[in-house]
Amino acid sequence: MTARIGVVTFPGSLDDRDTQRAIRVAGAEPVALWHKDKDLKQVDAVVLCGGFSYGDYLRAGAIARFSPVMDTVIDQAKAGLPVLGICNGFQILTEAHLLPGGMLGNDHLHFICRDQKLRVENADTAWTADYESGQEIHIPLKNMDGRYVADRYTLDKLEAEGRVAFRYLDVNPNGSLNDIAGITNEAGNVVGLMPHPEHAVESLIGTGRTDGLPFFTSILKKLVTA
């Protein structure tokens, strides 16, 4: 039986088709989900893709968090459904309180688009098991509101519990505290990151590397063996 992974499209989503393609390349079946529908169509996992949902009005992800589909995503994520938030999806996950902290505008106040070096800090989540802890990878990054912030207690807790999933290397592109590029929840089923792994799954496009593919093979293997 083929694993089915849903990709939610909000008004302003940009990378839903790219994400669906990455899922297909990994060997799973992508399922298009619409923001107004509460039905997740019995998918095995969900990806909140990148873009500018609702034009990033108020705050990035602040309006999308209240879309009907998110009521179901929140409930099922708390029950164990694997959820990945990429860029705007990460912002939505923090607004929905599925992940702690928040996202602010880049400290240099400019949109950034670059090939970003990362270190894998946690290879024990549903979305990172095909990586090795300490592995260095390159993933495309493109954002305007990518600066991860949290209070000191939350930062210390994330570090102590090993919940920083990815960290920026060589350069901190947006001023994120502790060089944090991605985090996970306590259970490891919800992961959010600012870089875009869906743009690094085929050697002929994007960065010319496939460093993003293990996100999608990781969840596939977890679902197949569950």
Side-chain angles (χ1 to χ4, degrees):
M1 181 176 177
T2 303
R4 304 173 74 247
I5 302 178
V7 179
V8 180
T9 298
F10 299 92
S13 294
L14 300 178
D15 298 303
D16 43 354
R17 297 297 180 88
D18 301 75
T19 304
Q20 290 174 25
R21 179 173 178 80
I23 290 168
R24 193 175 295 111
V25 168
E29 176 188 351
V31 178
L33 301 175
W34 185 236
H35 70 112
K36 285 189 175 182
D37 298 330
K38 288 191 173 185
D39 182 12
L40 298 186
K41 301 180 182 179
Q42 298 182 318
V43 297
D44 303 300
V46 167
V47 180
L48 305 180
C49 65
F52 301 90
S53 59
Y54 295 91
D56 278 353
Y57 290 111
L58 298 182
R59 287 184 313 275
I63 300 177
R65 175 262 177 272
F66 292 102
S67 292
V69 72
M70 287 305 298
D71 291 337
T72 310
V73 170
I74 291 169
D75 288 344
Q76 294 201 19
K78 290 179 178 178
L81 179 74
V83 178
L84 174 66
I86 302 170
C87 195
N88 192 228
F90 185 12
Q91 295 160 344
I92 295 169
L93 289 177
T94 62
E95 291 289 339
H97 304 296
L98 286 175
L99 292 175
M103 312 300 298
L104 296 179
N106 299 341
D107 59 352
H108 45 72
L109 304 181
H110 294 287
F111 180 85
I112 188 169
C113 182
R114 55 171 290 143
D115 184 11
Q116 179 65 48
K117 188 177 182 180
L118 306 174
R119 182 171 61 239
V120 180
E121 301 283 17
N122 186 331
D124 294 323
T125 79
W127 299 93
T128 61
D130 264 3
Y131 291 109
E132 295 182 2
S133 181
Q135 183 178 348
E136 296 181 1
I137 60 177
H138 290 78
I139 302 290
L141 176 73
K142 51 177 185 175
N143 65 72
M144 181 68 191
D145 299 294
R147 177 162 51 113
Y148 181 77
V149 296
D151 59 80
R152 178 49 56 186
Y153 172 81
T154 299
L155 288 172
D156 290 345
K157 184 177 176 65
L158 288 172
E159 297 286 2
E161 295 178 354
R163 289 170 53 195
V164 175
F166 298 91
R167 211 179 301 269
Y168 297 118
L169 289 183
D170 292 348
V171 61
N172 185 325
N174 44 38
S176 291
L177 298 179
N178 290 25
D179 297 326
I180 290 174
I183 61 175
T184 178
N185 68 342
E186 293 182 8
N189 64 303
V190 179
V191 171
L193 79 160
M194 288 309 298
H196 287 258
E198 77 279 11
H199 295 325
V201 298
E202 296 178 286
S203 59
L204 293 179
I205 59 174
T207 63
R209 305 167 68 106
T210 58
D211 290 2
L213 188 58
F215 275 90
F216 306 101
T217 57
S218 292
I219 189 61
L220 179 58
K221 289 179 181 178
K222 177 176 176 57
L223 294 174
V224 170
T225 59

